[in-house]
Amino acid sequence: MQTNPLLKNLPVYQPGRPIEEVARELGLDPAGIIKLASNENPLGPSRLGLAAMRKALAQVNLYPDGNAFYLKQKLAAKLGMTPAHLILGNGSNEVIELAGHALLGPGAEVVVSQYCFAVYPIVTALFGAKLVVVPAKNYAHDLDAMLAAITPATRIVFVANPNNPTGTTAAPADLERFVRAVPPDVLVALDEAYVEFLDRPLDLLPEIRSGARPNLLLMRTFSKIYGLAGTRIGYGIGHSDFIAALEKVRQPFNINAVAQAGALAALDDVKHIEKTRKLNARGLKLYEKSFRKMGLQFIPSGGNFILVRVGDGQRVFVELQKLGVIVRPMGGYQLPEWVRITVGTPKENARCLAALETVLRQLPARDV
C-alpha cells in the first residue's frame, strides 16, 4: 500500500513530555514531578468550567451540538461579533489546518518567521505548499522582511503574537501597519494563543467587525489562560465569507460536548483569568531576576513561558528530568542552546530555578 508521497518528509510535532512518561522512564513518583514544558495554566481550569464539565459528563452518550450554538453565541457577544465570524476547532491547531485546507496546495507559498510555531511548517508541508522562512530580528518577527517575502504565489502569512517559542511581541503600531500592508489576496493568520497575557494588545476585532479586513484571521484558544488544554478547544475570528469556507472543511462534531460546556462556563470566570495573569506576571519577574543573577541570557516574554540560554539545551533538559522537572528543549526550533520554561506556581518556579542551578553547576563550562 502506497501512502501519500507528501508524508515522506512531513515533520512530526513533538509535544512536551507527559509526567507519567517521565515517571515510568526514570522510576520516579509522578506526584514528585512538575511539568513546565507545555505552557499550561498552573492553576488548572476555572472552578466554573470544571463544574460545567462534570455536569456534561452525564450526557456523553449523546452527540454534541455540531454547531456549538450556545458557545458561539456567548463568545460572539463577548467579542462584539456575530456567530458567523467564528469557527471552532479541536484546539487552535485545527483552525490552522482548516486554513490550509481552504487555501493551500502545490505551488502555493506560506511565509513564516524563523523560530515560528512548529505547526505552521507541518501544515504547509501537509498540503504540498512551499515554506518561506524569513530570518528573525533579535529572535522576533521582522515584519518588514516578511512583507517583502510575499510573492504572487503567497497564500498565507503566519504571525504569532506573542510568539511561541520565543515569547517576543510585536509593537502594536508595527503589527497594525503590517496587517494593513499585506495584499488582500493573502491571508494574515494572526496567532493570538497568548494574547490574554498582554497588558495592551492590539485590538484588531474592529477590522473584522467592519469587514475592512476580509483577509485577516485571528486564532485564539481556551488552552492557555482558561486552563482547558486537555479539552482541546480553540477558535478563529474572521470575515463571515471566509469562515463559511472553513466550515465546509471542518469535521462534524469536532468540538466535544464536555469541551463546549467547560469553555462556555470558563468565559464567565473573570476571577480565574485575572488570578492567572497576576500569577504569570510575578513568575516572569522572578525568572528574569533569577536569570540575571545566574548570568543567563533570556528573552523577555509576553506569554506564560520564558526562553533561556543554558548551553547544551538537550543535556540540561535530560538532567532536569532526573530532578523531577520537565521543561522544553529547543533543538527542534534551531535553538539548541536554549530551553523554554512555562511559568508555574511560586513553589514550582522556585523548584525549577533551584534544579536549574544544580544542573548548571554540575555540567562542564558552557558558552552562554
Side-chain angles (χ1 to χ4, degrees):
M1 182 173 63
Q2 186 170 346
T3 59
N4 185 333
L6 291 176
L7 299 180
K8 184 177 180 180
N9 298 314
L10 189 69
V12 177
Y13 179 76
Q14 298 294 334
R17 299 196 70 193
I19 289 175
E20 295 78 8
E21 182 178 297
V22 173
R24 282 196 307 270
E25 180 181 298
L26 299 178
L28 300 176
D29 180 0
I33 298 175
I34 60 171
K35 182 186 176 189
L36 301 176
S38 300
N39 306 340
E40 295 146 336
N41 190 327
L43 296 179
S46 79
R47 291 183 179 180
L48 296 180
L50 202 55
M53 288 188 286
R54 287 192 179 114
K55 186 176 180 181
L57 286 173
Q59 292 188 309
V60 293
N61 60 307
L62 304 176
Y63 283 104
D65 176 359
N67 293 312
F69 175 83
Y70 293 107
L71 178 56
K72 279 189 177 180
Q73 288 287 333
K74 180 172 280 192
L75 194 54
K78 177 181 175 67
L79 299 171
M81 315 295 286
T82 71
H85 289 105
L86 302 174
I87 180 86
L88 295 175
N90 185 34
S92 56
N93 282 4
E94 187 185 16
V95 179
I96 296 170
E97 185 177 335
L98 295 179
H101 277 291
L103 297 172
L104 299 182
E109 293 182 357
V110 174
V111 174
V112 300
S113 174
Q114 183 184 17
Y115 315 130
C116 70
F117 181 41
V119 173
Y120 310 152
I122 291 174
V123 167
T124 301
L126 178 64
F127 295 101
K130 177 183 176 183
L131 187 72
V132 178
V133 181
V134 177
K137 187 175 182 180
N138 297 322
Y139 298 99
H141 290 69
D142 186 337
L143 294 177
D144 290 335
M146 293 179 74
L147 269 177
I150 293 174
T151 73
T154 306
R155 295 294 174 265
I156 303 176
V157 54
F158 283 106
V159 175
N161 194 59
N163 184 52
N164 175 25
T166 61
T168 52
T169 304
D174 293 341
L175 184 57
E176 183 174 24
R177 184 170 60 250
F178 173 84
V179 169
R180 293 182 175 180
V182 171
D185 60 341
V186 176
L187 178 70
V188 181
L190 184 55
D191 192 336
E192 296 187 322
Y194 303 92
V195 70
E196 291 94 350
F197 292 100
L198 295 177
D199 291 329
R200 289 179 291 277
L202 173 64
D203 182 9
L204 288 169
L205 291 176
E207 298 285 316
I208 296 175
R209 195 179 294 124
S210 67
R213 298 283 160 226
N215 66 325
L216 176 61
L217 177 68
L218 307 180
M219 301 179 295
R220 298 182 180 179
T221 181
F222 284 89
S223 294
K224 308 305 177 182
I225 205 161
Y226 289 102
L228 294 174
T231 67
R232 308 305 302 125
I233 183 163
Y235 58 101
I237 312 166
H239 190 280
S240 57
D241 289 345
F242 184 61
I243 294 299
L246 297 185
E247 287 285 1
K248 291 182 178 181
V249 294
R250 177 179 64 83
Q251 288 288 324
F253 308 115
N254 63 326
I255 306 301
N256 70 71
V258 177
Q260 288 186 40
L264 186 68
L267 286 172
D268 290 330
D269 202 339
V270 178
K271 288 183 179 180
H272 183 261
I273 293 172
E274 286 307 310
K275 187 176 180 180
T276 301
R277 280 173 49 85
K278 290 177 181 177
L279 183 79
N280 188 68
R282 289 197 299 268
L284 284 175
K285 287 181 181 178
L286 173 65
Y287 277 112
E288 291 183 2
K289 179 181 178 181
S290 300
F291 292 154
R292 288 191 185 100
K293 186 177 179 181
M294 296 164 69
L296 298 177
Q297 181 185 356
F298 65 91
I299 300 174
S301 176
N304 65 341
F305 56 88
I306 190 163
L307 201 64
V308 58
R309 190 172 179 221
V310 294
D312 187 340
Q314 182 65 27
R315 178 73 183 278
V316 169
F317 160 70
V318 170
E319 295 302 318
L320 282 174
Q321 285 182 116
K322 296 175 182 177
L323 298 177
V325 177
I326 309 173
V327 298
R328 191 74 170 270
M330 290 286 104
Y333 285 89
Q334 290 75 55
L335 292 163
E337 295 184 334
W338 301 71
V339 296
R340 191 191 67 195
I341 302 173
T342 303
V343 176
T345 63
K347 186 177 180 179
E348 289 172 335
N349 296 334
R351 181 177 168 190
C352 178
L353 286 165
L356 182 59
E357 283 193 279
T358 297
V359 167
L360 293 180
R361 279 197 307 266
Q362 294 173 349
L363 293 180
R366 63 203 183 282
D367 179 20
V368 296

